[in-house]
Amino acid sequence: MQATRVIFKGKFDFGSPETVSRIVRLLEPRILNLYKSDFPWKLEELLPEGAEKVIIRPESMHLTDRTWKHAIDGLEFMAQFALCGEVMAFQLGATKKPGVVVRPISEKAAVILYIHAMESDDMGNRRDLLNQAIDKYPAHCDALVARAQLEMDTDQLQEALVDLDRALARDAEHSGALLAYARCKYSLGESKEALAVLAKTMKYSMPLEDIHWRARHLKAVIYQANEEYALAVKELKALLTRMDTRPKLLADVKKEIRNAYSFCQEQLGESGTFTNDASPKPKQPRLAKATA
């Protein structure tokens, strides 16, 4: 049977070791009897004793369609117990539905409230629902990040940092929290720290994820603002190259990215280096807002 190259990446937060122990008791016979042991992970490595989360590091595998289906079914089974998080699965080279995202699907209040919050277009209502979700599960990283983004949109930057610190205390590799933290630091004028956090954001995300390119976009915005045009061009060129193969990627800021690339190239000139002479500088184009 032909195997396909796949990548899984993500995590589920179950809130307690007791929940994880229950999942193990239920998942073990499922693997033996339903999947016939045709499952891509060892259960003791996937859910070690004492764990409160399942963490799947990005790893390339070659799986048959049967094993792929068992993997997705197993993830969906675990999602019934998760309070927050998500796991992404990619079939590389697939033309139909190459990516699958598995999110919590339980009837727990923290899960339902968060889902309703993210479905709401009323920002006041969204904030209220996120507050309730966090009250139900104070370590709900996704809800904390979503609330921080609302706070940044209303210039409540210190409040946003408090929520992001809470999220990162629970999950130091949460790429959404890291990107939002970098955006917040840049808004506070702390470019150097923002760039350091963006390096972590890219480390803990993959080029298959939009958030990886959002981080590179914010790097370009910072470099351009700091007149580090060669570095900005490098990031912008990588973005434009990727966008040629993925037309929907960063579609909301595509025009601004192209304008920024042209501007930075003009500043470098033919030599490829920036010269700060006494001639009047052309006005910088509006820097695109790098959203988390």
Side-chain angles (χ1 to χ4, degrees):
M1 189 176 292
Q2 188 175 2
T4 303
R5 184 171 169 237
V6 305
I7 295 177
F8 296 91
K9 183 244 179 183
K11 60 194 71 175
F12 287 133
D13 186 343
F14 301 110
S16 70
E18 291 75 23
T19 301
V20 171
S21 296
R22 182 184 173 203
I23 295 168
V24 171
R25 290 195 301 270
L26 295 170
L27 192 55
E28 190 169 29
R30 189 180 186 91
I31 293 171
L32 292 173
N33 301 320
L34 182 59
Y35 306 151
K36 307 299 183 185
S37 297
D38 189 2
F39 195 63
W41 303 287
K42 293 181 179 179
L43 195 54
E44 63 272 18
E45 295 176 358
L46 191 66
L47 295 164
E49 186 176 356
E52 297 184 2
K53 306 175 185 177
V54 59
I55 301 173
I56 300 177
R57 306 286 182 189
E59 180 184 357
S60 177
M61 308 178 184
H62 284 83
L63 303 183
T64 63
D65 286 346
R66 175 185 172 86
T67 310
W68 165 264
K69 290 176 182 177
H70 290 168
I72 299 301
D73 187 77
L75 292 171
E76 290 174 344
F77 178 80
M78 288 186 280
Q80 299 176 64
F81 303 89
L83 292 167
C84 60
E86 67 177 21
V87 177
M88 292 165 286
F90 302 93
Q91 283 185 304
L92 304 183
T95 56
K96 294 183 180 179
K97 200 176 182 181
V100 176
V101 181
V102 183
R103 297 186 175 94
I105 52 175
S106 76
E107 295 298 318
K108 294 180 180 179
V111 175
I112 298 300
L113 287 164
Y114 175 73
I115 291 172
H116 288 334
M118 302 314 291
E119 289 174 345
S120 177
D121 293 326
D122 182 321
M123 295 302 102
N125 184 52
R126 177 177 292 186
R127 186 189 291 266
D128 289 343
L129 290 167
L130 289 172
N131 289 342
Q132 293 178 57
I134 293 165
D135 286 343
K136 292 294 183 182
Y137 185 50
H140 196 309
C141 291
D142 299 331
L144 287 165
V145 172
R147 188 168 71 179
Q149 289 172 339
L150 291 178
E151 290 161 345
M152 283 188 284
D153 289 342
T154 53
D155 293 324
Q156 297 173 281
L157 300 180
Q158 295 302 327
E159 291 85 346
L161 285 176
V162 171
D163 277 340
L164 293 171
D165 280 334
R166 286 176 60 184
L168 291 168
R170 178 64 175 175
D171 182 0
E173 299 178 7
H174 194 294
S175 54
L178 288 167
L179 179 55
Y181 197 92
R183 178 185 157 203
C184 196
K185 284 295 184 179
Y186 176 55
S187 296
L188 289 167
E190 300 176 32
S191 296
K192 186 175 180 180
E193 185 167 358
L195 288 169
V197 177
L198 287 171
K200 291 183 180 179
T201 309
M202 293 172 63
K203 177 182 177 181
Y204 297 125
S205 59
M206 300 186 298
L208 290 165
E209 301 176 71
D210 284 3
I211 199 166
H212 182 92
W213 299 97
R214 294 275 175 192
R216 295 196 74 159
H217 177 217
L218 182 51
K219 281 181 71 177
V221 168
I222 295 172
Y223 287 143
Q224 182 181 337
N226 291 345
E227 297 186 353
E228 298 179 88
Y229 297 117
L231 294 173
V233 163
K234 179 182 177 181
E235 297 299 333
L236 292 165
K237 185 176 181 180
L239 276 164
L240 291 169
T241 300
R242 192 68 171 188
M243 290 161 72
D244 284 342
T245 59
R246 289 179 55 188
K248 294 183 180 179
L249 179 67
L250 275 64
D252 54 324
V253 288
K254 182 177 290 188
K255 182 178 180 181
E256 288 86 347
I257 289 172
R258 293 191 185 280
N259 289 342
Y261 181 66
S262 297
F263 174 81
C264 291
Q265 279 192 313
E266 288 174 6
Q267 301 315 296
L268 292 173
E270 293 183 3
S271 67
T273 57
F274 175 59
T275 56
N276 189 11
D277 57 29
S279 58
K281 290 184 186 178
K283 185 178 179 181
Q284 289 211 30
R286 181 176 67 85
L287 294 175
K289 181 181 180 182
T291 56

